[in-house]
Amino acid sequence: MNTLMFYCCHVLAAVCLNMGCIAQTSGNAAAGIPSLKETYKADFLIGTALNTGQINERDQRAGSLIAQQFNAATPENIMKAQLIHPEWDRYAFDLPDKLIQYGNRNGIVINGHTLIWHSQLPAFARRIQSVDSFRTFFSDHIKTVAGRYKGKVQSWDVVNEALNEDGSMRRSVFLQQLGPGFVTEAFRLAAEASPGTQLYYNDYNNEQPAKRAGCIQLIKNIQTAGVRIDGVGIQGHWHVGKVPFKNIEESILQYAALGIKVAFTELDLEVLPRNFQGADVNQRMQEGAGIDPYKDALPDSVQLQLAQDYENLFKLFIKHRDKIARVTFWGVTDGDSWLNGWPVRGRTNYPLLFDRNYQPKPAFYKVIEVGSRK
Ligand code: XIL
């Protein structure tokens, strides 16, 4: 038995003794393991992103793991404008409706992702010439989509990624067509269409000081206009060995001081070489030697670093659990992760708590241990 395996079994035994394990579930690849959602039920929701196959329940092993481990979910793609609103007067609600039913059956609350984002926009929206037509698209989209899922989703990422790294506003099609007031306007429309739903602003790197300052300004603008905003989402696409713990803690405190909740909305930890930080989906990286170093397996040293980073992250989350509404992982298993295809296609990445065989990794046991000890 290698040291890593010994360590896993040891932690598992200790945790099981402490809290009692989940009984065998049919078709479950990871039966008998502790549950994240149970362990953190008094603290915050534990979420996962769901892809189309999972929403269609094509993957039984993922299905049992999802029901066992998570009480919140965010659709990875199907509620983005490109998919839910493919043409000016056509909406595709079948899969989102399925997701709502799936959530209801499994005790999973849904976070709608996302109403207004410059990326994954339908082609017709980019072709709109006049400001008036663009404004009509903008408000029809929010009213129709937020209205349909009123009382059905717990929260919405109303606006996604409106900021640049220096805290200024991104020159998106929304800024160009509607001016900087589009953010407040989106929240006003969403609040009208879906009064009981929690409304979030979501971004990556908004724990970094300059971008955070821009984010705080944006939130204050919404509040000063008398419009409701309930929370801020910090995506949490960080890098192993380089998690910005201090900035994260300062951000939790500064955002909470605005009277809103904090959610970690898309957590994963990159373990592969990357020459930039953040999660701009339009940014790509050149292929080259050494770019995909762990094709066969993740070295023990990196596995341990990943476990340690997740441990310290969840210690921080527990410390500030009164300010945190939800922690959502961006995918169920390493095999599902978008980081296998971005910013370079076809790599073998290991950013999550479950491996490609649906088995818990050392990082999973560390997260369970932190949640069991409080
Ligand atoms: C990603 C999805 O995971 C991919 O499947 C898709 O191809 C591109 O978008 N920030 C976000 C998410 O807010 O919606 C992105 O999701 C990842 C970065």
Side-chain angles (χ1 to χ4, degrees):
M1 198 188 279
N2 68 26
T3 40
L4 206 58
M5 270 184 68
F6 170 77
Y7 162 85
C8 285
C9 296
H10 184 74
V11 172
L12 173 59
V15 166
C16 279
L17 274 177
N18 261 346
M19 54 176 298
C21 285
I22 302 292
Q24 184 96 17
T25 325
S26 64
N28 189 358
I33 63 165
S35 159
L36 292 167
K37 72 172 178 190
E38 290 300 326
T39 305
Y40 284 90
K41 67 171 180 261
D43 308 312
F44 35 73
L45 292 165
I46 299 280
T48 182
L50 294 181
N51 63 33
T52 307
Q54 290 157 348
I55 294 164
N56 277 321
E57 299 183 81
R58 269 193 238 114
D59 183 345
Q60 231 202 324
R61 296 172 87 195
S64 51
L65 205 52
I66 294 162
Q68 182 195 61
Q69 297 293 330
F70 303 103
N71 48 19
T74 300
E76 189 174 356
N77 286 300
I78 60 154
M79 281 182 162
K80 293 173 180 171
Q82 191 176 56
L83 287 107
I84 205 170
H85 188 178
E87 288 165 49
W88 176 268
D89 51 4
R90 189 166 70 83
Y91 289 84
F93 289 133
D94 284 3
L95 271 172
D97 287 356
K98 245 186 197 171
L99 171 68
I100 303 294
Q101 288 157 17
Y102 179 88
N104 287 340
R105 267 187 281 118
N106 290 288
I108 290 173
V109 300
I110 305 299
N111 170 57
H113 176 79
T114 169
L115 292 170
I116 297 300
W117 189 28
H118 63 276
S119 204
Q120 289 179 276
L121 261 184
F124 80 84
R126 296 202 177 279
R127 288 197 297 263
I128 299 172
Q129 298 287 329
S130 85
V131 171
D132 278 356
S133 300
F134 194 85
R135 193 174 290 285
T136 304
F137 155 71
F138 179 83
S139 62
D140 280 359
H141 179 77
I142 297 175
K143 283 185 203 163
T144 310
V145 178
R148 181 166 183 104
Y149 296 105
K150 172 182 166 184
K152 295 184 173 153
V153 297
Q154 189 193 51
S155 50
W156 266 111
D157 294 334
V158 177
V159 176
N160 198 30
E161 303 179 355
L163 294 165
N164 293 316
E165 298 309 288
D166 66 359
S168 63
M169 288 199 74
R170 184 191 287 271
R171 255 182 113 252
S172 70
V173 62
F174 297 103
L175 185 75
Q176 286 174 299
Q177 294 270 23
L178 306 175
F182 84 86
V183 177
T184 299
E185 183 60 8
F187 277 80
R188 196 181 63 73
L189 290 164
E192 260 170 38
S194 195
T197 304
Q198 293 162 30
L199 306 179
Y200 276 72
Y201 174 76
N202 193 49
D203 215 325
Y204 60 85
N205 283 354
N206 53 343
E207 77 284 348
Q208 299 294 322
K211 197 163 182 175
R212 178 175 66 214
C215 193
I216 288 173
Q217 192 51 54
L218 212 91
I219 294 163
K220 286 187 172 165
N221 292 346
I222 299 170
Q223 293 175 325
T224 309
V227 173
R228 181 164 64 87
I229 174 167
D230 302 290
V232 61
I234 297 175
Q235 291 184 5
H237 296 292
W238 293 308
H239 294 241
V240 76
K242 290 191 238 164
V243 179
F245 293 106
K246 193 165 168 284
N247 286 335
I248 297 169
E249 181 159 31
E250 283 168 8
S251 301
I252 296 171
L253 295 169
Q254 292 188 27
Y255 288 133
L258 300 172
I260 58 173
K261 284 281 183 193
V262 178
F264 292 88
T265 52
E266 304 183 16
L267 183 56
D268 51 21
L269 298 182
E270 170 78 272
V271 304
L272 298 180
R274 176 109 71 83
N275 56 15
F276 65 94
Q277 296 207 3
D280 185 340
V281 294
N282 296 315
Q283 201 168 352
R284 310 295 300 189
M285 209 169 82
Q286 288 290 318
E287 293 181 35
I291 205 84
D292 191 17
Y294 312 135
K295 269 221 146 324
D296 300 325
L298 190 65
D300 282 2
S301 60
V302 188
Q303 189 79 276
L304 281 173
Q305 179 72 58
L306 188 77
Q308 199 179 69
D309 284 348
Y310 270 117
E311 175 184 9
N312 289 328
L313 260 177
F314 275 78
K315 279 186 177 160
L316 195 56
F317 296 160
I318 282 290
K319 182 175 171 196
H320 295 292
R321 61 186 157 172
D322 57 324
K323 307 169 195 70
I324 297 175
R326 171 169 56 89
V327 177
T328 292
F329 295 88
W330 206 240
V332 180
T333 74
D334 285 342
D336 305 319
S337 171
W338 75 303
L339 293 175
N340 295 306
W342 180 89
V344 181
R345 256 179 237 293
R347 296 203 290 184
T348 306
N349 221 325
Y350 303 81
L352 297 166
L353 300 189
F354 296 94
D355 69 17
R356 286 172 168 70
N357 282 321
Y358 306 80
Q359 298 303 311
K361 294 157 64 178
F364 169 86
Y365 291 108
K366 276 295 174 193
V367 170
I368 292 286
E369 203 184 309
V370 170
S372 310
R373 275 217 206 106
K374 46 174 200 272

